[in-house]
Amino acid sequence: TAVAAARAGGSARATRWTDALGAAAARRDRLREDLPGAAGRGELWLAFQPIVSMDEQRVVGVEALLRWRHPELGDVPPREFVPIAERAGVIGELQRWVLREATATAAGLPDSDGVPLRLGVNTSASHVAARTLVDDVAAALASSGLAPERLVLEVTEATLLDDGDFVAIDVQALRLMGVHVALDDFGTGTSSLLHLTRLPIDVLKLDRAFVSRVDRDAQSRALCEAVVTVGRALGVDVVAEGVETPAQLGVLRGLGLGFAQGFLLARPLPPADLLRVLREGAGSLWPGLVGLSHDV
Ligand code: C2E
Ligand code: MG
Ligand code: MG
Ligand code: MG
């Protein structure tokens, strides 16, 4: 009967659901088991995405982005395995590997038009909460010889607000060492412009959610404009994340945004490809960058 068929169909769907949930859980378990040894087995590597100054039209820095090539599962995205590492308590180990590898690579990069490149490294709330960040950063700087001023630690607002004054103390200790701090993904979460004035930051990274709509929607544009104004008032650099189209770049430039990062300019690159970009100059990233006019 129709009812029986529907019931059978329903239970088949339910079975597919259960299977899918089971498969997802099995994958998480597998990743959690394999993560601890991944660095030692050579499965982790860092991609570097250029950050460009719109005024100077040159590459001023790179952001290190963690990659895991699992021998059987293939490339696993950081948004999938970083939370697993946090819950499994192995994020400290992972972040120490990232800090050492990223600073060592950056120390070996050529200057960009005579200026040393800055290196952005992402942090994790649970690593910061574990209170080893200051020591781990100091160790990476010492072993690589990278000047502290070249390191930009990217933190999210949730990390900075994560209860307890110790976060502020550790971040302040890092800034006293000369390390810079960037607020990542700004505009997502609970951030307010007023609150910004109290955060110990040097750079503001405007989230892709705003950047992606800036050429189409007046509200996103107004928000970007406000952030530019606040950035000026606070004396912090503002970076637009996730710039994908010439139209977006043009509008952002017109609003006075100082720096851009995104697939339009370059994808996250293996070090060899990054070196080629640095040799060829920012004009090779996107020809439209050079001669980009302030008025659009
Ligand atoms: P994030 O720090 O906000 O990094 C920017 C992400 O946006 C990167 O994704 C980058 O590939 C992507 N992206 C850049 N330009 C564009 C664009 O034009 N369009 C689009 N659609 N995406 C763009 P990725 O590499 O997958 O990293 C995702 C997130 O994983 C990062 O977001 C960061 O929160 C986290 N992550 C990456 N590496 C590390 C790490 O070493 N440690 C920690 N704790 N987290 C990391
Ligand atoms: Mg980041
Ligand atoms: Mg970001
Ligand atoms: Mg983001």
Side-chain angles (χ1 to χ4, degrees), residues 147-214:
E149 293 73 24
R150 292 179 59 191
L151 181 62
V152 184
L153 286 177
E154 299 197 359
V155 299
T156 62
E157 197 166 33
T159 303
L160 285 176
L161 296 181
D162 202 15
D163 77 303
D165 298 331
F166 67 82
V167 174
I169 292 169
D170 287 358
V171 168
Q172 214 45 264
L174 288 162
R175 293 179 88 213
L176 286 171
M177 284 162 57
V179 172
H180 292 103
V181 176
L183 186 59
D184 205 352
D185 303 338
F186 179 70
T188 65
T190 58
S191 28
S192 79
L193 288 182
L194 177 68
H195 183 222
L196 263 187
T197 61
R198 295 197 291 267
L199 295 181
I201 55 165
D202 310 283
V203 179
L204 201 57
K205 298 193 77 175
L206 187 60
D207 194 73
R208 182 163 62 90
F210 296 96
V211 171
S212 64
R213 292 199 301 263
V214 78

Side-chain angles (χ1 to χ4, degrees), residues 1-285:
T1 64
V3 172
R7 212 174 265 148
S11 77
R13 259 200 307 283
T15 307
R16 278 198 299 278
W17 252 108
T18 318
D19 286 353
L21 288 176
R27 181 177 161 97
R28 272 197 308 276
D29 289 347
R30 179 73 196 277
L31 295 177
R32 193 179 54 235
E33 275 166 31
D34 293 347
L35 202 45
R41 292 189 302 270
E43 294 165 13
L44 301 182
W45 62 282
L46 292 177
F48 294 89
Q49 189 177 31
I51 299 171
V52 158
S53 154
M54 300 220 225
D55 283 327
E56 298 175 66
Q57 296 163 355
R58 68 179 184 85
V59 179
V60 293
V62 292
E63 177 177 3
L65 293 160
L66 184 55
R67 298 290 179 258
W68 182 12
R69 175 148 296 167
H70 190 284
E72 282 158 46
L73 303 174
D75 292 324
V76 187
R79 284 202 202 286
E80 182 176 8
F81 71 81
V82 166
I84 293 175
E86 289 175 333
R87 280 197 302 275
V90 296
I91 191 69
E93 185 189 322
L94 207 63
Q95 287 294 143
R96 278 186 283 281
W97 183 87
V98 170
L99 281 164
R100 281 184 180 267
E101 183 75 14
T103 53
T105 302
L109 291 175
D111 290 352
S112 162
D113 292 339
V115 186
L117 283 171
R118 283 196 178 186
L119 166 71
V121 176
N122 290 288
T123 59
S124 137
S126 38
H127 183 221
V128 177
R131 308 242 27 209
T132 62
L133 182 67
V134 178
D135 285 349
D136 293 342
V137 167
L141 292 173
S143 71
S144 64
L146 191 82
E149 293 73 24
R150 292 179 59 191
L151 181 62
V152 184
L153 286 177
E154 299 197 359
V155 299
T156 62
E157 197 166 33
T159 303
L160 285 176
L161 296 181
D162 202 15
D163 77 303
D165 298 331
F166 67 82
V167 174
I169 292 169
D170 287 358
V171 168
Q172 214 45 264
L174 288 162
R175 293 179 88 213
L176 286 171
M177 284 162 57
V179 172
H180 292 103
V181 176
L183 186 59
D184 205 352
D185 303 338
F186 179 70
T188 65
T190 58
S191 28
S192 79
L193 288 182
L194 177 68
H195 183 222
L196 263 187
T197 61
R198 295 197 291 267
L199 295 181
I201 55 165
D202 310 283
V203 179
L204 201 57
K205 298 193 77 175
L206 187 60
D207 194 73
R208 182 163 62 90
F210 296 96
V211 171
S212 64
R213 292 199 301 263
V214 78
D215 56 327
R216 285 181 283 137
D217 131 17
Q219 276 171 332
S220 305
R221 193 179 313 214
L223 188 121
C224 290
E225 205 167 3
V227 171
V228 168
T229 306
V230 172
R232 286 217 182 95
L234 300 181
V236 304
D237 289 340
V238 182
V239 180
E241 295 192 284
V243 180
E244 291 182 343
T245 68
Q248 290 164 2
L249 193 70
V251 171
L252 293 165
R253 176 77 167 99
L255 294 175
L257 236 113
F259 303 88
Q261 173 180 3
F263 293 170
L264 173 70
L265 298 160
R267 298 212 162 230
L269 303 167
D273 292 343
L274 174 67
L275 279 171
R276 187 177 41 74
V277 162
L278 294 174
R279 265 200 312 274
E280 291 171 5
S284 73
L285 295 179

